[in-house]
Amino acid sequence: MGGVGLIICFIVAIVLMIWLISKVGVHPFLAIMVVSLALAIVAGIDLAKIPGIIGNGFSGIFKSIGIVIIFGALIGMALEKTGAALKLADIVIKCVGEKRPEMAMLIMGWIVGIPVFCDSGFVVLDPIRRAIKEKISANPVGMAVALSGGLYTSHVFIPPTPGPIAAAGLVGVGGNLLLVIMVGMVVSIPVLIAAYAYAKYIGTKITLKEDMQDIGKSYDEIIKSHGVLPSAFLSLAPIFAPIVLMALGSIVKMAKLQGGFANFMLFLGNPVIALGIGVIFAVVLLAKTGKIGEFNLMTNDTLKIVGPILFITAAGGVLGKVIAEAGFVEFMKQNAHIIGSVGIFFPFIISAIIKTAQGSSTVALTTTAAIMGLFTDGTSMMATLGLTTEMGAVLTVMAIAAGAMTVSHANDSYFWVVTNFSQMTPEQGYKTQTTLTLIMGLVGILTVWIASLILL
């Protein structure tokens, strides 16, 4: 098939996938698999090769990042169930102070959102927001927007949340999650500043109908209701132990150290091992809080949550493999002077279209990363865009992440979590959550673009 025909097929495939997910209600896993198979056939790939392409694309994801995603989700679940997430929130409150409620909510959300899904994080932390409103008469809308923005920022930019882990693996930097984490944190800063500014602004423009009259428990009562919260060390260890180990492994690698100790540190710094040790700290956390008996049930619940994400990611791997085999990358190379001019904005645009159309940030992250992905033969769409270095791949993940938050509206479950728990109407939700995520996404991609000018 010719180049123009390939591009038409690609566009039709993306539109068909979005239509199946958002309009017909087909599960993203099935929608992506069906589209991948249809694209392979229409693009003229040898029928005898298609089953092997599908199998290799699917299994490659599980081999590279499957365990990492599961471990990251287990850590997040443990922090949520043991009250460690509340402990982290309490630490933020004490550091920032209750006189800066929006900032406290923003930072609290950003920290808790690193291991905990944004939907769950908002549910866990919303009672604290309500209690602070009652205690110091803070603006409830401003705090809700700040909390939502903080959670959402780390949800899309920073592993071990499954979305950015999957995207990193698909573009070829799954083995250097530390770099993804560090760059994600840096990119987060302007995004958080924008979220904070908008939270302060919009909080004065919207009045809630109920004005949150039924506050419920006070801040101190919320903390006490969870019994004795774990120590700060135990609450932080499942998150920061893997980061420290990966950092030490990276130092050993960069210094090109040799010998048994160096090999041992490289072993501990591997993302699978590092996050596995994080899970061990999470088990200790469960034991110390008297909830070790819930570990089996917690693991089952985690696998139920992570399972769809893994399968969607694997389906994205199939789509990426089909794109590579069909000749899309070769066509892009031949037209690099046109496509390359878009640069780092290309993955952002694709991700934003998919996110806005079907609602899931994780689907947008994984699908776009699969389209951009680094394939076994060394080709990728990133090469055409001039993003061939490791830093280029990391910035690609960041651009995809920025698109994956642009925008949250009625087809996104997080939109309804934020609006319902904040007692906002859907119209108010569009003025707050939807506008917030648009601002954050645009600030995110501008930050990534500036970083690309400096680092690439």
Side-chain angles (χ1 to χ4, degrees):
M1 181 177 290
V4 176
L6 282 174
I7 294 301
I8 293 174
C9 285
F10 174 72
I11 294 172
V12 171
I14 297 300
V15 171
L16 176 61
M17 180 191 69
I18 292 171
W19 178 75
L20 288 172
I21 296 171
S22 60
K23 297 298 183 182
V24 182
V26 177
H27 191 279
F29 168 73
L30 293 176
I32 297 172
M33 290 296 290
V34 168
V35 167
S36 298
L37 178 60
L39 182 61
I41 295 172
V42 173
I45 296 176
D46 188 347
L47 293 178
K49 294 181 179 179
I50 291 177
I53 292 171
I54 292 175
N56 291 335
F58 192 86
S59 62
I61 296 303
F62 282 90
K63 181 173 66 176
S64 60
I65 56 175
I67 297 174
V68 171
I69 290 177
I70 293 171
F71 283 173
L74 277 171
I75 292 171
M77 183 70 78
L79 293 179
E80 182 182 339
K81 296 296 184 183
T82 59
L86 286 177
K87 180 64 178 181
L88 296 176
D90 192 40
I91 293 171
V92 172
I93 288 290
K94 290 177 179 177
C95 292
V96 177
E98 295 178 2
K99 294 183 179 179
R100 302 181 184 88
E102 290 90 358
M103 183 177 293
M105 287 290 126
L106 185 80
I107 297 173
M108 184 189 305
W110 184 75
I111 293 173
V112 172
I114 293 175
V116 178
F117 284 93
C118 58
D119 304 65
S120 300
F122 198 94
V123 173
V124 169
L125 298 178
D126 189 62
I128 292 180
R129 176 185 68 90
R130 291 170 170 266
I132 291 176
K133 185 268 176 186
E134 176 71 5
K135 189 171 183 177
I136 63 172
S137 299
N139 186 287
V141 174
M143 287 195 297
V145 172
L147 177 59
S148 169
L151 286 162
Y152 209 26
T153 300
S154 50
H155 179 77
V156 300
F157 283 117
I158 306 173
T161 308
I165 286 181
L170 286 165
V171 302
V173 286
N176 195 354
L177 284 182
L178 177 67
L179 183 60
V180 181
I181 291 171
M182 299 308 294
V183 174
M185 288 181 172
V186 172
V187 173
S188 291
I189 295 173
V191 177
L192 290 172
I193 292 172
Y196 178 71
Y198 188 69
K200 294 284 287 184
Y201 165 78
I202 198 64
T204 63
K205 303 296 181 181
I206 292 180
T207 302
L208 297 178
K209 192 173 183 180
E210 300 294 331
D211 197 26
M212 296 177 63
Q213 293 176 4
D214 183 19
I215 298 299
K217 298 179 180 179
S218 70
Y219 175 78
D220 293 332
E221 287 173 336
I222 292 167
I223 299 299
K224 290 179 181 178
S225 68
H226 285 264
V228 179
L229 293 179
S231 67
F233 172 77
L234 282 177
S235 299
L236 292 168
I239 305 174
F240 287 100
I243 293 176
V244 170
L245 290 173
M246 287 188 285
L248 292 174
S250 295
I251 291 171
V252 170
K253 187 183 296 183
M254 287 187 294
K256 297 181 180 180
L257 299 179
Q258 302 293 327
F261 179 75
N263 289 337
F264 181 65
M265 293 310 302
L266 289 173
F267 167 75
L268 292 179
N270 181 279
V272 172
I273 304 302
L275 282 166
I277 292 172
V279 172
I280 292 174
F281 276 107
V283 172
V284 173
L285 181 62
L286 287 166
K288 290 290 185 180
T289 53
K291 296 184 178 180
I292 191 65
E294 300 178 20
F295 184 54
N296 186 52
L297 179 61
M298 188 193 78
T299 303
N300 284 333
D301 290 342
T302 302
L303 292 176
K304 288 177 184 177
I305 295 171
V306 173
I309 296 173
L310 281 172
F311 287 119
I312 292 169
T313 304
V318 173
L319 178 60
K321 196 73 173 175
V322 169
I323 288 172
E325 295 289 337
F328 289 96
V329 175
E330 187 60 35
F331 174 77
M332 290 185 69
K333 286 180 179 178
Q334 295 172 1
N335 295 272
H337 60 288
I338 299 173
I339 301 171
S341 62
V342 181
I344 199 71
F345 291 96
F346 181 78
F348 167 80
I349 293 169
I350 298 296
S351 181
I353 291 172
I354 295 175
K355 161 63 182 178
T356 304
Q358 54 77 46
S360 170
S361 294
T362 302
V363 171
L365 275 161
T366 55
T367 304
T368 309
I371 292 170
M372 298 299 299
L374 183 66
F375 306 113
T376 53
D377 61 356
T379 62
S380 73
M381 288 195 178
M382 293 187 297
T384 303
L385 300 172
L387 304 169
T388 54
T389 64
E390 187 173 54
M391 181 57 71
V394 172
L395 290 178
T396 299
V397 174
M398 296 299 110
I400 294 170
M405 63 164 48
T406 316
V407 294
S408 172
H409 62 100
N411 62 1
D412 180 8
S413 62
Y414 190 47
F415 173 87
W416 296 110
V417 168
V418 173
T419 53
N420 288 337
F421 276 82
S422 305
Q423 299 184 1
M424 288 188 279
T425 64
E427 291 76 15
Q428 291 173 328
Y430 278 103
K431 292 179 181 178
T432 54
Q433 178 70 2
T434 303
T435 306
L436 170 72
T437 53
L438 174 62
I439 293 170
M440 291 169 68
L442 293 176
V443 171
I445 186 56
L446 286 175
T447 303
V448 173
W449 174 66
I450 293 171
S452 70
L453 297 178
I454 299 170
L455 299 175
L456 299 181

